[in-house]
């Protein structure tokens, strides 16, 4: 604003406002909103998924998009507890689907020193394995465990062009805790469904066996009822055959006996 004195211009007022803090607050708010929206999308996708593979695919796509990953893979621990299998892949690791690897050695394509947590006590945000290695492809990344109440049932590997901020690590840990519970519930559901189908199949077999047994008893009873009069007929035919001298009549009786 101009400064006037006795009608003469003598200077100006200048007001300088530092908007750095406001811009940082706006950026933080935008990022938090984006994270909440991602959580909502992941939660909705897991609720509508009909299989473990659908859950894994939904989680992987949402997470990879959120953090700007160049590669991502979700693995589940096998029954032996020593090996894991890549259930879903994205980007550079899409071709890894179906590969089995030793958990202690880490997923192929990640640095060998990335050691994922194995127990529930170790599966905290601080225990997430990270790497930043210019010789690795991708050069940066994280390994996040899928934690249940007992242990890790799998791992999320994310390849990045640059290190991930700490707040995103916490978000990933929250998402993977949700995913672990959803995968475990779906695994229980699929196991129960398989057992139910086995029981239904066994029940059908039992019903079929009972039907066949009932038919067998019915046929046996009918055969017995027919056998009684046939026995009498054969007996009388044999007696008449011995008494008759006519050859034609004897031949007819012989056919009846046979």
């Amino acid at each position: 604003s101009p400064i006037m004195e006795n009608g003469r211009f003598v200077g100006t007022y200048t007001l300088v406002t530092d908007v750095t803090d406001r811009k940082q607050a706006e950026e933080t708010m935008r990022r938090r909103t984006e994270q909440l929206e991602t959580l909502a999308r992941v939660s909705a996708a897991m609720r509508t998924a009909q299989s473990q593979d659908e859950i894994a695919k939904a989680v992987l796509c949402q997470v990879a998009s959120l953090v700007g990953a160049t590669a991502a893979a979700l693995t589940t621990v096998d029954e032996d507890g020593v090996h894991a299998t890549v259930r879903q892949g994205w980007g550079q690791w899409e071709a890894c689907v179906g590969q089995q690897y030793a958990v202690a050695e880490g997923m192929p394509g990640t640095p060998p020193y990335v050691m994922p947590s194995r127990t529930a006590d170790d599966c905290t945000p601080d225990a997430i394995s990270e790497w930043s290695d210019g010789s690795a492809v991708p050069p940066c990344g994280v390994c996040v465990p899928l934690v249940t109440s007992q242990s890790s049932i799998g791992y999320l590997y994310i390849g990045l062009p640059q290190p991930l901020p700490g707040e995103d690590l916490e978000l990933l840990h929250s998402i993977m805790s949700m995913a672990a519970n959803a995968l475990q519930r779906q695994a229980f559901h699929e196991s129960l469904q398989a057992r139910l189908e086995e029981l239904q199949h066994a029940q059908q077999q039992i019903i079929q066996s009972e039907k066949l047994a009932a038919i067998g008893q019915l046929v046996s009873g009918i055969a017995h009822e027919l056998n009684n009069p046939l026995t009498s007929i054969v007996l009388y035919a044999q007696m008449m055959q011995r008494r008759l001298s006519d050859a034609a009549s004897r031949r007819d009786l012989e056919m009846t006996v046979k």
Side-chain angles (χ1 to χ4, degrees), residues 76-204:
T76 52
V77 177
D78 298 339
E79 292 183 359
D80 62 7
V82 177
H83 297 88
T85 301
V86 181
R87 184 175 289 274
Q88 287 290 334
W90 186 89
Q92 297 178 12
W93 292 334
E94 187 173 359
C96 296
V97 175
Q99 288 186 7
Q100 188 183 58
Y101 66 94
V103 174
E105 297 176 2
M107 192 186 78
T110 62
Y113 55 80
V114 177
M115 301 295 291
S117 301
R118 298 303 313 280
T119 65
D121 293 339
D122 293 336
C123 294
T124 63
D126 294 336
I128 295 176
S129 299
E130 299 181 68
W131 76 84
S132 181
D133 187 344
S135 63
V137 180
C140 301
V142 295
C143 174
V144 188
L146 282 76
V147 186
T148 64
S149 58
Q150 298 177 347
S151 63
S152 297
I153 63 171
Y155 304 94
L156 170 69
Y157 288 88
I158 299 179
L160 301 159
Q162 57 189 10
L164 203 62
E167 60 183 24
D168 284 346
L169 288 177
E170 295 179 2
L171 177 64
L172 284 179
H173 185 268
S174 300
I175 291 176
M176 298 321 295
S177 294
M178 293 168 53
N181 290 327
L183 286 169
Q184 189 176 52
R185 286 195 302 270
Q186 186 63 32
F188 287 154
H189 174 74
E190 292 177 2
S191 177
L192 289 174
Q193 187 67 28
R195 294 292 179 87
L196 178 60
E197 291 177 358
E198 290 176 2
L199 289 175
Q200 290 175 339
H201 180 66
Q203 184 182 30
Q204 291 297 325

Side-chain angles (χ1 to χ4, degrees), residues 21-54:
D21 292 341
R22 187 176 67 184
K23 288 185 176 180
Q24 290 178 347
E26 290 176 351
E27 177 62 22
T28 300
M29 183 65 68
R30 185 197 63 79
R31 189 63 177 166
R32 292 296 184 187
T33 300
E34 185 179 357
Q35 292 174 349
L36 290 174
E37 290 175 349
T38 299
L39 283 173
R41 288 194 297 268
V42 170
S43 179
M46 288 190 294
R47 285 197 304 271
T48 58
Q50 299 296 319
S51 67
Q52 295 184 70
D53 285 335
E54 288 185 12

